[in-house]
Amino acid sequence: MADTTSYKDLGLVNTKDMFRKAMAGGYAIPAYNFNNMEQLQGIILGCVESRSPVILQVSGSARKYANPTMLRYMAAGAVQMTRAEGTDIPIALHLDHGDSFELAKSCIDSGFSSVMLDGSHHPFDQNAELTKQVVDYAHERDVTVEGELGVLAGVEDEVSHAVSDYTKPEEVEEFVAGTGVDSLAISIGTSHGAYKFKVKPGGKVPPLRFDILEEVARRVPGFPIVLHGASAVIPKYIEMINSFGGKMEDAVGIPEEQLRQAAGSAVCKINIDSDGRLAMTAVIRKIFAENPAEFDPRKYLGPAREELIKMVKLKNETVLGSAGRG
Ligand code: G3H
Ligand code: 13P
Ligand code: ZN
């Protein structure tokens, strides 16, 4: 294969049609992160079984971990696997949190159908300039681009969150029009990882700032919004991890009810990484605790993959609303 590969040759699609349909249908496309074969199989099979479109999402460090060349063929293999299963669900390969033009270009040149340029830590003008540079390169190749405004952060206590971290709706129109991005990640109170909030005993997780989301949607009607840091940190898996030797007592995520509400709004893409990691870890911990003599990776990675399939199906069906849309 030549050094430069178009995603179209791999059977992948960009996110344009996915988002158009999600917006019209009032659901969100799941974007699941992966960095190894079992995760990729689990995500794909969960989406095949629930007939959901899917965005396969890879961070820069995950791409390095898997190896960029290997990754391209893994994505191509995932497409072929769905065809062999008798389905042709739309599959996008997306760079998650790209931090430079060079990385975005390298991904586009090696078969990614969508890239994120995350310039959210830069001042507005620098973020816009960098994002536009990526958009110009990507759009010439029919690749879609996600930008970000506002910084995701942890919540310091039960109810407060530094206001300056949230997306400023008044900046959104200029950013979207000036850069030409196809979707925009915003900050409304989610954060990355398994410890999203510090909840005091008996306290509640603070609600997402749906008022900001609504104001953004009012300013850019019909424009696809993205929610990062959207794992629910499923309590069942945290309990399993903790009861089989793990130590994740304070882990807490976004209540599913709020994710459902987001999926029914202008949010067209919901990012989930931690929940997949937790599902697999929970099963592996259980197997190691109950079968300390086991040393065949298939005997623990296989069941972990099965659990991921179940989790993905359930999320698509009951949270994202993407099941049956592929
Ligand atoms: O938002 C970040 C994703 O969860 C990817 O994490 O950089 O550890 O691959 P990673
Ligand atoms: P979680 O850590 O909540 O799964 O978020 C993942 C994410 O936003 C990837 O970009
Ligand atoms: Zn993210």
Side-chain angles (χ1 to χ4, degrees):
M1 195 179 283
D3 267 339
T4 299
T5 306
S6 165
Y7 67 88
K8 293 176 185 173
D9 297 331
L10 305 181
L12 298 161
V13 297
N14 69 24
T15 57
K16 213 171 282 172
D17 242 33
M18 287 184 179
F19 290 165
R20 191 179 48 74
K21 289 179 182 162
M23 183 68 81
Y27 61 94
I29 308 291
Y32 294 111
N33 290 69
F34 78 98
N35 53 56
N36 65 45
M37 184 184 77
E38 281 79 7
Q39 276 180 315
L40 177 57
Q41 292 172 326
I43 294 163
I44 283 292
L45 291 173
C47 289
V48 163
E49 289 182 21
S50 55
R51 296 234 164 212
S52 170
V54 62
I55 296 172
L56 298 171
Q57 190 159 263
V58 183
S59 68
S61 69
R63 183 170 180 250
K64 225 182 251 172
Y65 175 85
N67 178 282
T69 305
M70 175 66 90
L71 190 90
R72 174 202 299 176
Y73 292 102
M74 284 170 79
V79 172
Q80 293 312 314
M81 191 170 95
T82 61
R83 305 292 186 265
E85 295 283 328
T87 58
D88 61 349
I89 54 167
I91 303 173
L93 179 64
H94 174 80
L95 168 66
D96 192 23
H97 293 287
D99 60 358
S100 67
F101 173 77
E102 290 70 27
L103 176 59
K105 178 182 181 303
S106 166
C107 288
I108 292 167
D109 291 348
S110 68
F112 281 60
S113 60
S114 177
V115 292
M116 175 187 194
L117 191 287
D118 180 0
S120 61
H121 289 83
H122 296 304
F124 180 94
D125 288 346
Q126 210 180 326
N127 182 3
E129 194 182 325
L130 197 51
T131 305
K132 182 166 181 349
Q133 195 189 0
V134 171
V135 168
D136 289 344
Y137 188 80
H139 282 185
E140 270 178 35
R141 290 151 185 86
D142 208 13
V143 168
T144 39
V145 180
E146 174 183 326
E148 177 161 344
L149 270 182
V151 179
L152 270 67
V155 169
E156 293 310 317
D157 65 38
E158 201 184 307
V159 286
S160 74
H161 190 136
V163 172
S164 59
D165 288 334
Y166 293 126
T167 301
K168 297 183 180 74
E170 63 274 18
E171 291 185 347
V172 168
E173 289 142 292
E174 186 186 339
F175 189 83
V176 166
T179 60
V181 279
D182 303 280
S183 61
L184 183 72
I186 63 168
S187 171
I188 59 166
T190 62
S191 67
H192 292 105
Y195 301 89
K196 299 193 189 298
F197 308 100
K198 282 200 175 107
V199 184
K200 291 172 184 153
K204 270 191 167 174
V205 163
L208 297 181
R209 290 288 305 271
F210 282 99
D211 58 321
I212 297 178
L213 172 59
E214 278 161 24
E215 179 58 14
V216 167
R218 195 187 65 76
R219 286 170 180 266
V220 283
F223 189 78
I225 300 301
V226 177
L227 216 54
H228 282 249
S231 277
V233 185
I234 300 167
K236 173 176 84 171
Y237 296 132
I238 298 300
E239 282 155 27
M240 238 171 116
I241 287 170
N242 289 335
S243 63
F244 290 107
K247 213 169 166 21
M248 298 192 72
E249 275 82 11
D250 298 328
V252 54
I254 313 293
E256 286 188 345
E257 204 35 60
Q258 293 187 39
L259 295 168
R260 269 190 283 274
Q261 188 181 337
S265 73
V267 170
C268 289
K269 172 175 180 268
I270 289 190
N271 285 12
I272 300 149
D273 187 355
S274 297
D275 278 341
R277 298 181 185 197
L278 291 167
M280 295 185 88
T281 301
V283 168
I284 291 169
R285 277 206 175 273
K286 182 170 190 289
I287 291 172
F288 281 175
E290 291 176 348
N291 309 280
E294 188 53 72
F295 74 107
D296 179 347
R298 291 170 296 186
K299 298 281 168 50
Y300 49 89
L301 292 178
R305 180 177 62 192
E306 282 307 309
E307 191 61 41
L308 185 57
I309 295 172
K310 271 199 256 169
M311 189 210 82
V312 164
K313 271 176 71 176
L314 195 65
K315 257 194 201 287
N316 294 347
E317 284 161 3
T318 64
V319 181
L320 283 288
S322 61
R325 314 281 190 159

